[in-house]
Amino acid sequence: MLRYTLLFAFALLLFGCSGSNQELNQKLKAAVTEGEAGAAGYKTIQMAELTDFDWDVMYYFQPNEDQKAISDVIGFKWEGAEVPDNHRRLLFVKGEEVASYVDYYYNDFPLFVYGCGDDKWIYPKSRATFASFKYCSGNQEVYAFIPEPCVDNIRMLMDNPCPEGEAASAE
């Protein structure tokens, strides 16, 4: 019995250490992948409506960005892990503290985050309304995620739907 208890505790420790907000990951994936695009050709996603914690700024990080790179961007010391291979990270900051973050596996959820003007991959909560739509890149379905005021910068991607049955679906 003790052996199973220790094994269970080790599994919790191993999977719990990542700190990634899995509930937010599921909410984001559902908001992006479920339902149909609106009349404008995209879905509108309010990040503040998906989060259940207080935050001021959301940051986007690419795979393998380490503690130093993340710390340099957010302006204080990041104590967490680097962004894993084939993952992307949305990190939420309140003041000078990390409120939460979500790492998502790009192969399972191909969400491509686009920068917008001077914000690049830094999104204040006041400007965290995103446009999202599905398009085809090669033979893969990809979900665009860009601040709504800049959706016209990538609108041409909406003209790249994947032929039925040919795309590797992320759903």
Side-chain angles (χ1 to χ4, degrees):
M1 181 69 176
L2 179 61
R3 181 178 182 182
Y4 293 112
T5 304
L6 289 175
L7 184 60
F8 179 73
F10 177 75
L12 280 176
L13 182 64
L14 181 66
F15 294 112
C17 280
S18 74
S20 180
N21 186 329
Q22 292 306 309
E23 182 180 339
L24 178 57
N25 189 1
Q26 292 304 312
K27 286 180 183 178
L28 178 62
K29 188 173 184 179
V32 169
T33 63
E34 294 175 4
E36 297 298 319
Y42 59 86
K43 297 176 194 174
T44 301
I45 299 169
Q46 304 277 348
M47 285 306 295
E49 292 177 4
L50 297 181
T51 56
D52 60 359
F53 50 87
D54 197 17
W55 57 278
D56 298 323
V57 181
M58 180 181 83
Y59 298 86
Y60 171 73
F61 294 99
Q62 300 277 354
N64 304 311
E65 290 196 63
D66 63 14
Q67 288 180 330
K68 181 180 180 339
I70 293 171
S71 296
D72 288 348
V73 171
I74 65 176
F76 60 90
K77 187 168 172 81
W78 164 250
E79 301 286 347
E82 76 175 31
V83 182
D85 283 340
N86 297 318
H87 286 74
R88 309 299 190 267
R89 176 173 292 156
L90 297 176
L91 187 133
F92 299 84
V93 170
K94 174 71 176 171
E96 290 203 5
E97 290 186 21
V98 173
S100 189
Y101 71 93
V102 59
D103 287 344
Y104 62 91
Y105 184 55
Y106 189 80
N107 291 353
D108 289 340
F109 180 33
L111 181 69
F112 195 91
V113 179
Y114 288 86
C116 182
D118 292 335
D119 286 346
K120 291 294 181 193
W121 291 276
I122 302 170
Y123 310 99
K125 191 173 189 177
S126 63
R127 293 192 309 271
T129 300
F130 288 83
S132 184
F133 58 89
K134 185 170 37 175
Y135 68 96
C136 199
S137 177
N139 67 344
Q140 182 182 21
E141 290 181 346
V142 177
Y143 296 93
F145 199 69
I146 187 168
E148 191 174 30
C150 295
V151 72
D152 286 336
N153 295 351
I154 63 167
R155 187 171 288 280
M156 72 291 232
L157 293 175
M158 290 181 198
D159 296 332
N160 295 334
C162 289
E164 285 296 318
E166 290 185 25
S169 178
E171 296 179 66

